[in-house]
């Protein structure tokens, strides 16, 4: 038996792996950080034998409530990822699985590899609708990639979408893959109509270094990028620094920051109700967007989500708040679940990459419904 995590986004420490029914593991912290929760490893095993894998430090993870009602994902071919029996006893996460093949991958959610990210960027660049812009290097020297979709113009509405500030929230980049597949489809009426009045600025991965390093929440320096939007710096948070500078150059009329949530088994958005400039026009537009998205898909709901900030109390280091305030625009954080959509559960796969992709496509339809009301 052998266990490894020596690959893109790999994260596990092996404590003991002598007997299949007594495997002891621990998740590694993000670099220079106390955060951890993302795991991704490969087991070489005896098919047909039950393997019991205990993550002994699960109780100290960033969001322990995320383990309640959670099941790990597994894959033989790294394409199809299914859920496996998993229990949380208050301190340890225990994965029980009888592999059908001689090796199997396990992860917190379906991984989105850096190779796939680079393929997505070059695929998008093939479209005559898309301009690919290099914003600058990350702390580990990877590329920050911006995709501009549509012809910029003073009369155009500027729609900004960022994803995966928190690298372990891989559903965010699966969402972007679906969003782009529709936006760049020159036979899709919604996409074609949107591109007549809007230009899209899309960052598929805000945190390439944390993604490859197998982090949950931070960049190479252990910095939570979603607390850097008030004063980003090249030394700590170049990822945010580049993007905010580009936003300043283009302007922003609508902003969506795409994340995953460890604990709540729902898809939801969090607005910028607590920023000083929040007003009734922004509120009404936001309510219309949510109503439209609920009418388009049962995967979205408004009953469950984060507490709404009281007026003037928003944390202005958070992206959706900082951008909503600076550009006086409608701004949302969109959250997808690591577990499942409790309103429409799938016992075999839970929330998944395909459902994240579909939600990305559906959000484009909701955007179409409010595009004419966005200021230009
Ligand atoms: C959040 S996203 C922050 C937005 N919160 C509210 N209430 N507007 C974070 O960054 O902590 C969750 C996440 O990381 O996905
Ligand atoms: Zn997040």
């Amino acid at each position: 038996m052998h266990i490894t995590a020596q690959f893109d986004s790999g994260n596990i420490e092996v404590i003991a792996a002598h007997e299949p029914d007594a495997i002891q593991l621990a998740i590694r912290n993000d670099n220079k950080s106390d955060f951890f929760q993302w795991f991704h490893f490969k087991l070489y095993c005896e098919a047909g034998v039950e393997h019991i894998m205990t993550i002994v430090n699960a109780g100290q993870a960033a969001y322990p409530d995320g383990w309640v009602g959670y099941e790990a994902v597994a894959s033989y071919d790294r394409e199809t990822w299914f859920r496996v029996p998993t229990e949380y006893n208050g301190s340890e996460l225990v994965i029980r699985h009888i592999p059908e093949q001689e090796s199997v991958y396990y992860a917190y959610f379906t991984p989105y590899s850096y190779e796939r990210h680079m393929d997505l960027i070059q695929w998008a660049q093939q479209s005559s609708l898309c301009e690919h812009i290099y914003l600058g290097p990350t702390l580990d020297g990877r590329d920050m990639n911006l995709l501009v979709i549509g012809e910029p113009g003073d009369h155009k509405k500027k729609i900004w979408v960022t994803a995966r500030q928190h690298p372990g929230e891989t559903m965010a980049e699966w969402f972007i893959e679906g969003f782009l597949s529709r936006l760049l489809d020159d036979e899709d009426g919604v996409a074609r109509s949107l591109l007549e009045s809007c230009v899209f600025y899309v960052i598929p991965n805000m945190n390439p270094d944390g993604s490859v390093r197998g982090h949950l929440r931070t960049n190479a320096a252990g910095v939570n990028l979603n607390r850097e939007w008030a004063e980003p710096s090249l030394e700590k948070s170049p990822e945010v620094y580049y993007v905010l500078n580009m936003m300043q150059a283009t302007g922003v009329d609508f902003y969506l920051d795409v994340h995953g949530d460890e604990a709540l088994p729902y898809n939801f958005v969090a607005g910028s109700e607590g920023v000083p400039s929040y007003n009734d026009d922004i509120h009404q537009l936001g309510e219309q967007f949510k109503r439209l998205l609920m009418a388009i898909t049962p995967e979205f709901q408004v009953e469950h989500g984060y507490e709404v900030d009281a007026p003037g109390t928003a944390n202005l280091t958070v992206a959706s708040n900082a951008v909503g305030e600076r550009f006086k625009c409608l701004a949302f954080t969109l959250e997808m679940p690591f577990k499942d959509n409790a309103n429409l559960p799938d016992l075999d796969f839970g929330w998944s990459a395909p459902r994240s992709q579909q939600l990305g496509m559906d959000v484009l339809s909701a955007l179409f419904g409010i595009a004419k009301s966005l200021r230009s």
Side-chain angles (χ1 to χ4, degrees):
M1 180 165 60
H2 173 64
I3 292 173
T4 179
Q6 200 57 36
F7 43 72
D8 178 341
S9 81
N11 184 333
I12 208 70
E13 300 287 342
V14 179
I15 298 168
H18 310 296
E19 299 301 326
D21 62 356
I23 298 168
Q24 295 217 308
L25 307 169
I27 302 173
R28 197 179 58 243
N29 283 32
D30 289 14
N31 185 43
K32 298 177 184 167
S33 166
D34 293 331
F35 289 122
F36 71 84
Q37 192 133 5
W38 170 264
F39 63 88
H40 181 195
F41 62 93
K42 180 177 184 179
L43 169 71
Y44 289 86
C45 52
E46 184 182 346
V49 172
E50 183 180 46
H51 287 66
I52 302 176
M53 295 159 274
T54 300
I55 298 181
V56 299
N57 64 345
Q60 290 81 53
Y63 301 94
D65 288 352
W67 303 130
V68 178
Y70 164 79
E71 290 192 315
V73 296
S75 179
Y76 296 112
D77 62 6
R78 301 173 72 207
E79 285 290 329
T80 301
W81 291 79
F82 51 91
R83 298 283 173 165
V84 290
T86 307
E87 287 169 17
Y88 178 56
N89 61 23
S91 60
E92 299 170 328
L93 189 74
V94 184
I95 301 168
R96 296 168 183 273
H97 185 217
I98 302 176
E100 294 170 0
Q101 297 184 24
E102 57 273 35
S103 72
V104 50
Y105 284 81
Y106 299 94
Y108 186 26
F109 194 80
T110 303
Y112 196 103
S113 71
Y114 190 57
E115 281 295 317
R116 191 175 183 114
H117 165 76
M118 292 190 290
D119 286 346
L120 178 66
I121 297 296
Q122 300 315 115
W123 166 81
Q125 180 185 295
Q126 305 316 300
S127 167
S128 57
L129 297 168
C130 177
E131 182 191 359
H132 168 205
I133 296 175
Y134 169 72
L135 294 182
T138 63
L139 294 173
D140 281 346
R142 292 188 180 85
D143 305 346
M144 281 300 287
N145 302 110
L146 168 66
L147 300 174
V148 182
I149 292 108
E151 196 54 48
D154 291 344
H155 66 292
K156 291 281 189 79
K157 296 155 196 207
K158 289 80 178 177
I159 314 277
W160 269 88
V161 183
T162 57
R164 217 174 164 183
Q165 286 197 81
H166 298 136
E169 298 166 10
T170 55
M171 60 288 281
E173 195 158 9
W174 288 109
F175 173 102
I176 292 294
E177 194 172 287
F179 186 86
L180 290 174
S181 68
R182 187 165 188 202
L183 188 56
L184 293 172
D185 178 354
D186 55 15
E187 295 184 349
D188 184 291
V190 163
R192 290 177 56 212
S193 174
L194 274 169
L195 291 172
E196 286 172 1
S197 60
C198 304
V199 55
F200 289 77
Y201 299 88
V202 181
I203 306 278
N205 188 335
M206 276 291 297
N207 197 336
D209 294 351
S211 302
V212 173
R213 285 169 170 261
H215 285 182
L216 171 73
R217 204 157 167 81
T218 66
N219 71 356
V223 173
N224 177 356
L225 295 182
N226 205 24
R227 298 298 183 274
E228 287 292 307
W229 287 75
E231 292 178 64
S233 71
L234 286 173
E235 294 70 30
K236 284 176 58 184
S237 45
E239 301 90 345
V240 176
Y241 185 88
Y242 301 138
V243 171
L244 208 41
N245 275 355
M246 184 57 89
M247 285 178 167
Q248 194 60 40
T250 65
V252 186
D253 297 313
F254 176 88
Y255 177 52
L256 187 69
D257 183 31
V258 188
H259 287 251
D261 185 88
E262 290 77 5
L264 291 172
Y266 299 101
N267 292 292
F268 59 94
V269 292
S272 54
E273 294 86 352
V275 303
S277 64
Y278 193 78
N279 60 37
D280 194 52
D281 288 347
I282 297 272
H283 177 72
Q284 294 305 330
L285 200 54
E287 293 304 297
Q288 184 186 4
F289 176 83
K290 290 186 277 188
R291 273 195 306 275
L292 284 166
L293 192 52
M294 277 196 288
I296 290 160
T297 174
E299 300 280 29
F300 181 74
Q301 56 79 54
V302 295
E303 187 185 344
H304 304 275
Y306 297 149
E307 205 173 311
V308 175
D309 293 332
T313 68
N315 179 342
L316 292 176
T317 68
V318 168
S320 55
N321 291 331
V323 173
E325 177 61 10
R326 180 183 289 207
F327 299 98
K328 308 295 184 282
C329 67
L330 181 58
F332 285 120
T333 299
L334 182 139
E335 299 282 351
M336 291 172 279
F338 278 93
K339 298 174 183 177
D340 198 350
N341 169 8
N343 292 336
L344 202 61
D346 180 327
L347 299 183
D348 296 324
F349 300 98
W351 190 252
S352 66
R355 292 169 84 180
S356 303
Q357 292 170 317
Q358 183 58 56
L359 188 62
M361 295 179 189
D362 291 340
V363 160
L364 209 63
S365 297
L367 260 177
F368 173 69
I370 65 164
K372 290 180 175 48
S373 310
L374 293 175
R375 106 187 138 227
S376 66

